[in-house]
Amino acid sequence: MNKNVEEIIKVGNNIFKKGLVSGKSGNISKRIKSANGDIIAITPTLKSLADLQQEDIVLVDLDGNTLTSGKPSSEINMHLEIYKKRPDINAIVHTHSPYATGFSFSNKKIRRLEGFGEIKDQYLPEIDYAKPGTDELALKASENIGNSDVLVLKKHGVICVGENIKEAESLAIFIEESAKTQFISLMLNSVEDKI
């Protein structure tokens, strides 16, 4: 169990340092398969991902029953609903990265760029705004992620999923870089060339 918890702490620290989350925002979870059913290790509510300790990570079952002390992220239901619908997913990284989240507050969509698997759709899938931490958001996210590895939450942030936690983290970094590149391109293309 300690190895799984250490991976979550490391990813939390990495994405904080890279500016994909700030303050006490964002959350990370990992599915741990056991003989007695799946256990989900998830970051706690109201704690910075930069300062996580082993005792902060909360373990829950797929029904949301806590198996350890502490209070899981307010987005626990969103994570659980995605895990229930997608048995191929073993990790979720939810960020509020500035460029990708900026797109989520606009009428512009983030293009799917080369560098992270086959491009099946031109744009990243997205869902309309639902209040964070609600059952409405949990259901919308789990129903609309489909077979994708990423979902943009309008006026909120991004969910990245993977077969393992490193894959989900790498995707979160890639999506933010993609959004940054597209933002710069939009800005440069909107300025009339005066030369």
Side-chain angles (χ1 to χ4, degrees), residues 37-85:
D38 293 350
I39 296 170
I40 307 303
I42 190 165
T43 51
T45 192
L46 297 175
K47 177 132 190 182
S48 171
L49 297 185
D51 301 320
L52 295 173
Q53 304 296 319
Q54 285 202 359
E55 59 271 14
D56 295 323
I57 306 304
V58 183
L59 301 181
V60 301
D61 64 21
L62 277 178
D63 293 321
N65 300 308
T66 54
L67 307 173
T68 57
S69 61
K71 189 173 179 185
S73 166
S74 61
E75 301 288 13
I76 182 66
N77 288 336
M78 180 173 70
H79 288 249
L80 293 175
E81 289 302 317
I82 292 171
Y83 285 124
K84 288 175 191 175
K85 286 204 171 63

Side-chain angles (χ1 to χ4, degrees), residues 6 8 51 69 103 118 123 192:
E6 285 169 10
I8 291 172
D51 301 320
S69 61
F103 271 87
E118 181 184 353
Y123 298 102
E192 186 179 345

Side-chain angles (χ1 to χ4, degrees), residues 3-185:
K3 181 184 173 214
N4 295 300
V5 169
E6 285 169 10
E7 281 185 316
I8 291 172
I9 292 169
K10 183 178 178 185
V11 169
N13 195 265
N14 286 347
I15 66 173
F16 189 92
K17 284 181 180 174
K18 289 186 178 298
L20 297 159
V21 294
S22 61
K24 297 177 182 179
S25 72
N27 37 75
I28 303 164
S29 69
K30 182 175 181 184
R31 184 197 311 253
I32 303 160
K33 298 188 185 286
S34 78
N36 299 325
D38 293 350
I39 296 170
I40 307 303
I42 190 165
T43 51
T45 192
L46 297 175
K47 177 132 190 182
S48 171
L49 297 185
D51 301 320
L52 295 173
Q53 304 296 319
Q54 285 202 359
E55 59 271 14
D56 295 323
I57 306 304
V58 183
L59 301 181
V60 301
D61 64 21
L62 277 178
D63 293 321
N65 300 308
T66 54
L67 307 173
T68 57
S69 61
K71 189 173 179 185
S73 166
S74 61
E75 301 288 13
I76 182 66
N77 288 336
M78 180 173 70
H79 288 249
L80 293 175
E81 289 302 317
I82 292 171
Y83 285 124
K84 288 175 191 175
K85 286 204 171 63
R86 293 280 303 273
D88 59 311
I89 289 172
N90 294 312
I92 299 171
V93 174
H94 170 43
T95 67
H96 298 170
S97 51
Y99 285 93
T101 302
F103 271 87
S104 84
F105 276 87
S106 77
N107 62 358
K108 303 283 186 202
K109 293 179 179 248
I110 303 172
R111 287 184 179 275
R112 172 72 85 165
L113 299 182
E114 290 182 4
F116 214 93
E118 181 184 353
I119 298 176
K120 296 177 184 173
D121 298 305
Q122 185 177 7
Y123 298 102
L124 299 181
E126 58 184 31
I127 59 171
D128 290 335
Y129 177 79
K131 188 175 178 185
T134 62
D135 289 339
E136 179 189 6
L137 177 59
L139 291 172
K140 273 186 176 183
S142 65
E143 288 169 1
N144 288 281
I145 197 162
N147 292 320
S148 184
D149 52 3
V150 61
L151 183 66
V152 176
L153 312 177
K154 292 298 279 180
K155 300 181 180 178
H156 184 163
V158 179
I159 299 170
C160 295
V161 301
E163 189 178 330
N164 58 62
I165 198 164
K166 193 65 187 163
E167 185 178 304
E169 176 193 21
S170 295
L171 180 57
I173 294 165
F174 179 75
I175 295 303
E176 179 63 0
E177 288 300 315
S178 296
K180 184 177 182 180
T181 298
Q182 288 172 70
F183 175 79
I184 293 168
S185 176

